[in-house]
Amino acid sequence: MVDEVTSSTAAAAANTAGADARAKKWSLWPSFLSWIPTSTDRIIAAEKRLLSLVKTPCEQEQVNIGSGPPGSKIRWFRSVSNESRFINTVTFDSKEGSPTLVMVHGYGASQGFFFRNFDALARHFKVIAIDQLGWGGSSRPDFTCKSTEETESWFIDSFEEWRKAKNLSNFILLGHSFGGYVAAKYALEHPEHVQHLILVGPAGFTSETEHPEWLTQIRATWKGAILNHLWESNFTPQKIVRGLGPWGPDLVRIYTSARFGSYAEGDVLTVEESRLLTDYVYHTLAAKASGELCLKYIFSFGAFARMPLQQSASEWKVPTTFIYGFQDWMNYQGAQAARKHMKVPCEIIRVPRAGHFVFIDNPTGFHSAVSYACRRFLSPHPDNISLPEGLTSA
């Protein structure tokens, strides 16, 4: 439970207080007339309310990752000062000796999106979930990267500084969607720290040269030209939420109702889950733009990678499991193509009654898939364990 937060929360409060003071500059109006009713404090408060649904005790902290990666010519923060930055981190209680599972959220999300999974996974793992730099309750520096390489460094280097600060090694790394892209890029650069890689509906396995015919047709229309221009101008969905000001929460409520109820047969969000998730999503989306501005540098219009992971498949050094919902819009065939070039063990698992947010749509199936993927860490006889019923191997 979040009320089990330790003394590290006091330091987090001090850190977030400073960040919130800077956040007040986002608006020219007094707080009671603010057009965008959010702040860093409100993000953390919404996160605590959402995680109150989780029964497993946890520790919430803001991990100091410094002001920039040592020796790097690329200042991922591009700050005019040496101000320290922080990664919002939640660690759940576990049995002594449990393998460590680090969970990384996707684009436009935050670690609280895994709220339906923490209890089940904490029975087998030491679960640590983070907000990537520029998202959720983590620091939100001005995003001034100008290339794909710089943008990747922003996320990879900040994660590595977080790992050092937490003194972690030999962990299982799970990333969802864009978080899967970051996790894979990190494992390529720092394979010595990752025991196993779990990529959940990962982005980045198809390139802009492989886009389907329908996308070519859309791009040829005036509507497609406008959409492509907006994409290249870094117009993000979050800007719409901010632009609506006090009506933003209503739009997010419509989004969460539609997004997280489509495939969840038998696992539909309760009224309380939906209410708390909507509140949390709004505050994380409406806060200062930072990490979200990576979009056009990592992907071209249509979410096709500019530096696709498939090109690096032959360099893979970490055993990998892909997990996809049956109705995931991310195509698992990209993983199949990459697997042909990998020199490490690789499996692809598909989960029924689930879309892109498989861990929300079908949490039971997702937990089974993760446990199966990690069977060599959880069982003395992993070769005797069969794929759980309902899951399929691709």
Side-chain angles (χ1 to χ4, degrees):
M1 294 176 292
V2 177
D3 9 300
E4 302 265 347
V5 175
T6 66
S7 59
S8 62
T9 306
N15 296 329
T16 54
D20 198 40
R22 293 187 297 277
K24 291 178 182 176
K25 298 177 183 177
W26 303 349
S27 174
L28 298 176
W29 297 94
S31 58
F32 62 88
L33 290 176
S34 178
W35 178 251
I36 305 173
T38 192
S39 66
T40 305
D41 282 349
R42 290 190 181 188
I43 293 174
I44 298 300
E47 176 186 280
K48 289 181 179 180
R49 289 192 292 271
L50 180 63
L51 294 186
S52 69
L53 299 172
V54 181
K55 297 180 176 61
T56 307
C58 67
E59 174 188 353
Q60 186 179 27
E61 60 182 329
Q62 293 281 343
V63 177
N64 189 332
I65 61 170
S67 61
S72 175
K73 295 179 181 178
I74 301 173
R75 295 271 308 191
W76 8 285
F77 304 132
R78 301 291 179 118
S79 176
V80 295
S81 70
N82 289 323
E83 179 185 358
S84 293
R85 309 296 178 171
F86 298 85
I87 296 294
N88 188 38
T89 305
V90 179
T91 304
F92 292 86
D93 284 5
S94 61
K95 296 177 183 177
E96 188 175 351
S98 297
T100 299
L101 175 67
V102 177
M103 305 181 74
V104 182
H105 63 82
Y107 183 87
S110 303
Q111 54 85 5
F113 275 60
F114 295 115
F115 76 99
R116 295 187 109 187
N117 316 118
F118 291 139
D119 280 331
L121 295 178
R123 297 189 191 108
H124 307 288
F125 304 94
K126 178 182 178 180
V127 176
I128 306 176
I130 68 165
D131 288 336
Q132 295 193 70
L133 182 67
W135 271 312
S138 291
S139 296
R140 291 178 177 243
D142 293 340
F143 188 88
T144 56
C145 296
K146 299 299 181 185
S147 69
T148 301
E149 292 80 4
E150 284 189 19
T151 303
E152 289 185 353
S153 292
W154 163 289
F155 295 106
I156 295 169
D157 291 350
S158 58
F159 184 86
E160 172 60 4
E161 292 307 303
W162 172 84
R163 183 202 66 78
K164 290 177 184 176
K166 291 291 289 180
N167 193 29
L168 286 177
S169 193
N170 298 321
F171 54 88
I172 300 160
L173 181 56
L174 181 152
H176 171 244
S177 195
F178 174 68
Y181 179 89
V182 172
K185 291 283 183 172
Y186 176 83
L188 282 165
E189 196 164 317
H190 301 281
E192 68 276 10
H193 301 305
V194 183
Q195 291 178 303
H196 195 88
L197 190 60
I198 302 177
L199 304 180
V200 184
F205 275 88
T206 51
S207 71
E208 52 190 330
T209 60
E210 301 174 88
H211 56 70
E213 182 61 28
W214 63 263
L215 185 58
T216 302
Q217 294 173 354
I218 290 177
R219 282 178 168 177
T221 66
W222 65 269
K223 292 181 182 178
I226 291 174
L227 290 172
N228 188 65
H229 174 74
L230 290 173
W231 185 284
E232 295 299 331
S233 300
N234 233 346
F235 185 88
T236 64
Q238 290 89 330
K239 290 182 180 179
I240 299 174
V241 175
R242 295 186 195 102
L244 288 173
W247 296 280
D250 294 329
L251 175 64
V252 173
R253 191 173 299 109
I254 294 170
Y255 165 78
T256 53
S257 298
R259 185 68 162 170
F260 305 120
S262 302
Y263 309 108
E265 300 171 19
D267 290 311
V268 178
L269 292 177
T270 66
V271 172
E272 183 70 354
E273 285 178 324
S274 182
R275 183 182 68 82
L276 294 175
L277 180 60
T278 296
D279 180 53
Y280 175 69
V281 171
Y282 170 73
H283 288 297
T284 60
L285 293 182
K288 175 189 173 183
S290 181
E292 73 189 65
L293 299 175
C294 72
L295 197 59
K296 78 165 191 174
Y297 296 107
I298 299 294
F299 305 108
S300 63
F301 175 54
F304 295 95
R306 298 190 188 277
M307 295 179 65
L309 287 161
Q310 203 174 121
Q311 295 177 358
S312 305
S314 62
E315 302 167 26
W316 230 256
K317 295 181 177 66
V318 178
T320 301
T321 300
F322 293 87
I323 299 176
Y324 292 88
F326 270 26
Q327 286 81 30
D328 196 333
W329 64 274
M330 289 291 182
N331 195 331
Y332 71 91
Q333 292 173 345
Q336 288 180 314
R339 181 173 57 183
K340 295 176 182 177
H341 303 285
M342 291 183 183
K343 301 179 178 67
V344 295
C346 174
E347 56 191 1
I348 303 169
I349 300 173
R350 301 183 70 205
V351 179
R353 304 192 318 277
H356 190 52
F357 289 89
V358 53
F359 45 88
I360 292 179
D361 295 335
N362 186 352
T364 301
F366 174 72
H367 303 151
S368 295
V370 172
S371 295
Y372 181 75
C374 299
R375 58 194 180 278
R376 67 188 179 100
F377 305 106
L378 301 175
S379 171
H381 306 290
D383 294 337
N384 297 335
I385 298 176
S386 301
L387 186 68
E389 186 177 355
L391 307 182
T392 62
S393 179

